[in-house]
Amino acid sequence: ARIGDPPMAARPARPDSAVVVLEVRLHRTAELTDSRGALRVFDQDVRVEYRAGGKGSGLDAGEASLDDRPLRREVDGKGGVSYRLGRDEPEGGTQAGGDPWATLANTGGPRVANASVRVKLAPYPLVTRPTPGQGVLRTEELQVVMLPPVADVWYRVSLAGAGDPVIAIDMGEGRWLFPGGSLARLNPGHARLLIEVETSCGDCPGAGRMRANWSARTELELGVTLL
């Protein structure tokens, strides 16, 4: 430009300069099969997308993995890319543990840098009491004990049989209580202890200029016998 020329309009930002938002959605259910934390996974759906500014179609981020487990790359009719993980289990099976942190890694694409991002996903809690198949007297209190929960993870514990579900009282430090007599409304026989776990974050740090948001729900079942 020369002196006296009118000022040039500012160039629009390059598309790849927009902040990339990593979006993670998870829903899964499993049954605790022993006191050591072994699980039988019923279903699992993990969906991951990288979006420019959190809008529009998913971007190509190269190859992606969750805790070193490869994610399946899917491309829709408009060229949007998403990454999925189904019920396939890791070698050695799935174990309860209570740690919500997982690592999402990608090798990079035209508009997404290679990155490794820590995300907090609803874990399978490690339950130490009761044990699968344990007999429970309906007239007595029942304590549910698991590894102490991690901060910013929501839990609910209920027991369902023949009758309306009963909600446990959160006593803190990984302990929930069904008070004495609260289970009397349930009929004798098989019952299902259900532990629901949720995590979410609308805008969390990612890697570099990347941001992350996630919503995760895990349901863990444990069978007991009401007496």
Side-chain angles (χ1 to χ4, degrees):
R2 296 174 298 180
I3 296 176
D5 287 347
M8 297 178 63
R11 293 182 179 180
R14 292 170 53 197
D16 61 0
S17 67
V19 173
V20 172
V21 177
L22 166 63
E23 298 182 352
V24 186
R25 302 291 179 265
L26 175 148
H27 184 274
R28 57 187 177 181
T29 61
E31 178 184 26
L32 185 68
T33 59
D34 65 28
S35 59
R36 297 182 300 276
L39 300 173
R40 179 184 297 113
V41 178
F42 296 138
D43 66 77
Q44 174 176 271
D45 182 32
V46 180
R47 182 184 180 93
V48 177
E49 292 184 315
Y50 297 80
R51 300 179 188 272
K55 301 178 181 179
S57 299
L59 303 174
D60 181 3
E63 301 298 320
S65 62
L66 177 64
D67 282 346
D68 298 323
R69 296 173 63 189
L71 302 181
R72 185 175 69 254
R73 186 176 183 272
E74 297 182 349
V75 182
D76 63 26
K78 296 182 179 180
V81 180
S82 61
Y83 298 87
R84 308 291 290 268
L85 179 65
R87 196 174 65 88
D88 49 323
E89 298 189 43
E91 185 177 351
T94 302
Q95 292 284 126
D99 182 8
W101 289 105
T103 300
L104 265 168
N106 69 287
T107 58
R111 297 172 61 186
V112 182
N114 66 305
S116 180
V117 179
R118 295 281 281 170
V119 294
K120 183 182 280 188
L121 304 180
Y124 287 118
L126 180 58
V127 180
T128 59
R129 189 193 308 172
T131 56
Q134 178 178 321
V136 175
L137 290 175
R138 295 178 300 133
T139 55
E140 297 187 358
E141 71 175 28
L142 171 63
Q143 287 195 28
V144 178
V145 181
M146 64 185 80
L147 289 181
V150 178
D152 300 322
V153 178
W154 177 87
Y155 292 78
R156 188 175 82 152
V157 177
S158 61
L159 188 66
D164 294 333
V166 180
I167 308 299
I169 300 170
D170 185 356
M171 306 298 289
E173 299 298 321
R175 294 177 180 272
W176 277 260
L177 176 67
F178 294 96
S182 64
L183 304 180
R185 74 180 80 166
L186 300 176
N187 293 331
H190 179 75
R192 180 180 60 126
L193 184 71
L194 176 62
I195 302 171
E196 301 165 84
V197 187
E198 293 184 2
T199 58
S200 63
C201 179
D203 183 21
C204 283
R209 298 183 67 237
M210 186 181 291
R211 306 296 296 178
N213 73 61
W214 57 78
S215 176
R217 178 181 176 84
T218 292
E219 298 177 6
L220 178 63
E221 300 179 6
L222 189 159
V224 297
T225 301
L226 295 178
L227 305 173

